[in-house]
Amino acid sequence: MINGKNPPDVGIQLPESKMGIDAVTDGSSGPLVRNVNGKAQVMQVVLRALCLVTSVTALSLMVTAEQASTITVLGFNIPLHSKWSFSRSFEYLVGISAAVALHLILQLLISGSRLVRGSPTISSRNHGWLIFAGDQVFALALMSAGSSASSVSSLNHTGIRHTALPNFCKPLHHFCDRVSASIVFTFFSCFLLAILVVLDVLWLSSKH
């Protein structure tokens, strides 16, 4: 302070400091936001690819579940032939798994091509709602298919109480093991789609 007055250079320091802060802020926030969005998009693509692998695995295990053997009931040897297509629940699981795989392949082709071009994987809010609806419907369908197949698989393992009908999985262990593994992968696919549904909701909420 000189003679009760501020030095003349004080008046020009504040704008310079403010400009410096703005420059730092503008220079760092834009790339940071783009980097975060890019990581979220890559994570969605990775999750879809992983879900595709688990869905195809569940489908492959189920359609190859087949075995022939014999079983003894009341002293009689009865030939058995077990195949996934003999159960409506197993057919339902195969159909849903195939539909989910097609849905994921389509989404991966769209997302992958847009990532290669450097564009956002979700082009618009309407596109986001469409993906959200598809992911949610197929997640619920996988849960339904897995639950239906689990009830049949459980019956094969335990048999029917108070009857002479035995545990079918003792002579047909190969068939039952493949069915059980298919059901596990089906529920895992459902879990991955549920995560994708949450990510879809977060993306839609950020676009308000």
Side-chain angles (χ1 to χ4, degrees):
M1 182 177 293
I2 302 174
N3 296 329
K5 297 181 179 180
N6 292 328
D9 59 341
V10 173
I12 63 172
Q13 288 179 352
L14 290 177
E16 289 179 352
S17 301
K18 184 177 180 181
M19 290 174 61
I21 294 172
D22 291 340
V24 172
T25 303
D26 293 339
S28 60
S29 61
L32 179 60
V33 171
R34 287 195 295 270
N35 189 29
V36 170
N37 290 336
K39 288 182 178 179
Q41 292 174 3
V42 171
M43 183 174 65
Q44 281 195 339
V45 172
V46 171
L47 284 173
R48 290 192 187 280
L50 182 58
C51 188
L52 175 61
V53 171
T54 56
S55 298
V56 172
T57 303
L59 176 63
S60 302
L61 287 170
M62 185 59 78
V63 297
T64 56
E66 183 178 4
Q67 187 179 5
S69 182
T70 59
I71 192 170
T72 302
V73 178
L74 299 177
F76 296 96
N77 291 328
I78 302 175
L80 291 178
H81 180 210
S82 187
K83 189 177 181 180
W84 66 273
S85 58
F86 296 163
S87 170
R88 293 293 179 88
S89 296
F90 296 161
E91 289 180 334
Y92 178 47
L93 187 145
V94 168
I96 293 298
S97 296
V100 170
L102 291 176
H103 166 72
L104 292 169
I105 290 173
L106 177 62
Q107 294 303 324
L108 282 173
L109 289 175
I110 295 174
S111 300
S113 62
R114 295 185 68 85
L115 277 179
V116 170
R117 296 197 305 266
S119 304
T121 54
I122 302 177
S123 58
S124 64
R125 188 171 175 81
N126 289 336
H127 183 201
W129 276 111
L130 183 63
I131 294 176
F132 165 74
D135 289 343
Q136 188 174 36
V137 167
F138 282 118
L140 294 174
L142 281 174
M143 182 182 297
S144 172
S147 300
S148 178
S150 295
S151 63
V152 177
S153 179
S154 176
L155 183 62
N156 288 339
H157 278 88
T158 60
I160 300 178
R161 295 181 180 179
H162 310 301
T163 66
L165 203 60
N167 178 356
F168 286 110
C169 285
K170 287 182 179 179
L172 300 171
H173 58 88
H174 176 74
F175 169 81
C176 291
D177 289 344
R178 297 189 78 84
V179 167
S180 298
S182 175
I183 293 172
V184 169
F185 278 102
T186 298
F187 280 119
F188 190 38
S189 299
C190 177
F191 174 72
L192 292 174
L193 272 180
I195 296 177
L196 286 167
V197 168
V198 173
L199 294 177
D200 295 338
V201 171
L202 292 176
W203 186 90
L204 288 169
S205 63
S206 68
K207 297 302 177 181
H208 278 299

